[in-house]
Amino acid sequence: MDSPPQFTALVLDLFGTLVPAPSTRERALAVHEMASAMKVPENLVTVAVKESWLPRHDGTLRTTGEVAARLTATCGAPRGRAPHVEAVLRKLAPGRLQADATVLQCLAKLRRSGLKLCLLSDAAPDIAEAWSRSALSSHFDVALFSCREQAVKPSRQLYAKALERLDRDPRSVLYCGDGGGAELAGAARCGLRAVRVERRGGPTALAFGAEPSAWRGVTLKSVEELPTWLAGLPVGAGSSR
């Protein structure tokens, strides 16, 4: 068994941390497919996707079908095109959850060390619905998605729910993310220690409410460095419950 951790649980972000944050090319391809499904100009879909970020992520739109219906209506397409948009969203979601083998190996090592793992992601219903079929899912004890918790980062509600599900005191929990959505400051305000990783997908990848330039805490190159960093912490760096 690997050496025991100084923390007892770890909360991890998804996009930009475990899998690449969306690229402009990826977003353009998704817009193209949805525009084709609706038979409308791509610029209409681009605006609709951007303007619907919050309702897609904060639980206002609870299912992929509801998201598709909202996008279709916003773009002025016939209501009958919504199932085609839903099919596009469902088709694309699994690809967004494909993690590198090194990430999966890292997660396995963290769990072997005795840490409980929680995913905490600002995510739309298509991602939440595809999660259980991803290779990532089996490595987590808890998975929380903003669309299901009806709050987005840095809401205290999300961190409190993570601590509740983990059954841990915040002082014994480490939060790790790329910094989008003011997540690191939000974690720190709730008593968790936070560490930043450089955004997976590169600095030009899309992110909502990015905060890396304001972060003054520990920054690692990638999530794969976590096991080594944790092993090097002095005894008592994270309190046991």
Side-chain angles (χ1 to χ4, degrees):
M1 182 174 179
D2 297 325
S3 59
Q6 305 306 312
F7 292 90
T8 65
L10 175 61
V11 180
L12 288 152
D13 172 48
L14 178 58
F15 294 109
T17 302
L18 299 175
V19 297
S23 66
T24 53
R25 180 177 180 275
E26 180 183 358
R27 177 62 57 82
L29 289 173
V31 164
H32 174 74
E33 290 206 35
M34 285 189 283
S36 296
M38 286 187 260
K39 302 187 184 302
V40 299
E42 292 183 13
N43 66 299
L44 292 181
V45 181
T46 298
V47 172
V49 168
K50 182 177 180 180
E51 292 183 346
S52 67
W53 190 94
L54 191 57
R56 285 188 289 115
H57 290 77
D58 71 0
T60 300
L61 302 172
R62 303 300 298 272
T63 67
T64 303
E66 289 182 14
V67 171
R70 169 70 71 89
L71 293 173
T72 302
T74 301
C75 292
R79 185 181 301 177
R81 304 311 301 174
H84 300 280
V85 178
E86 181 178 357
V88 170
L89 293 171
R90 291 187 183 280
K91 181 186 76 171
L92 295 176
R96 298 184 62 197
L97 291 171
Q98 289 185 351
D100 292 337
T102 52
V103 171
L104 299 177
Q105 292 162 6
C106 168
L107 295 174
K109 186 172 185 179
L110 290 168
R111 290 195 79 186
R112 286 198 304 272
S113 75
L115 285 166
K116 291 187 71 173
L117 301 188
C118 172
L119 181 87
L120 181 57
S121 175
D122 279 346
D126 54 312
I127 297 299
E129 292 167 14
W131 171 254
S132 64
R133 301 189 299 277
S134 74
L136 285 164
S137 65
S138 63
H139 293 278
F140 286 85
D141 301 283
V142 179
L144 301 173
F145 300 96
S146 62
C147 62
R148 291 181 173 169
E149 302 306 319
Q150 298 183 287
V152 297
K153 298 173 187 176
S155 171
R156 287 181 177 273
Q157 174 181 329
L158 293 176
Y159 303 99
K161 186 61 174 290
L163 293 170
E164 176 189 340
R165 292 286 303 278
L166 288 167
D167 190 26
R168 292 292 186 270
D169 183 282
R171 293 169 297 180
S172 72
V173 180
L174 179 69
Y175 185 91
C176 177
D178 67 294
E183 61 185 348
L184 303 174
R189 281 195 297 270
C190 292
L192 290 75
R193 183 169 174 183
V195 59
R196 176 182 169 255
V197 292
E198 294 183 9
R199 179 160 299 132
R200 206 170 196 95
T204 61
L206 302 173
F208 178 78
E211 71 176 359
S213 61
W215 181 245
R216 297 292 180 265
V218 174
T219 295
L220 305 177
K221 294 289 290 183
S222 68
V223 73
E224 287 94 328
E225 292 188 357
L226 265 177
T228 300
W229 181 77
L230 285 166
L233 290 177
V235 174
S239 305
S240 297
R241 188 174 187 268

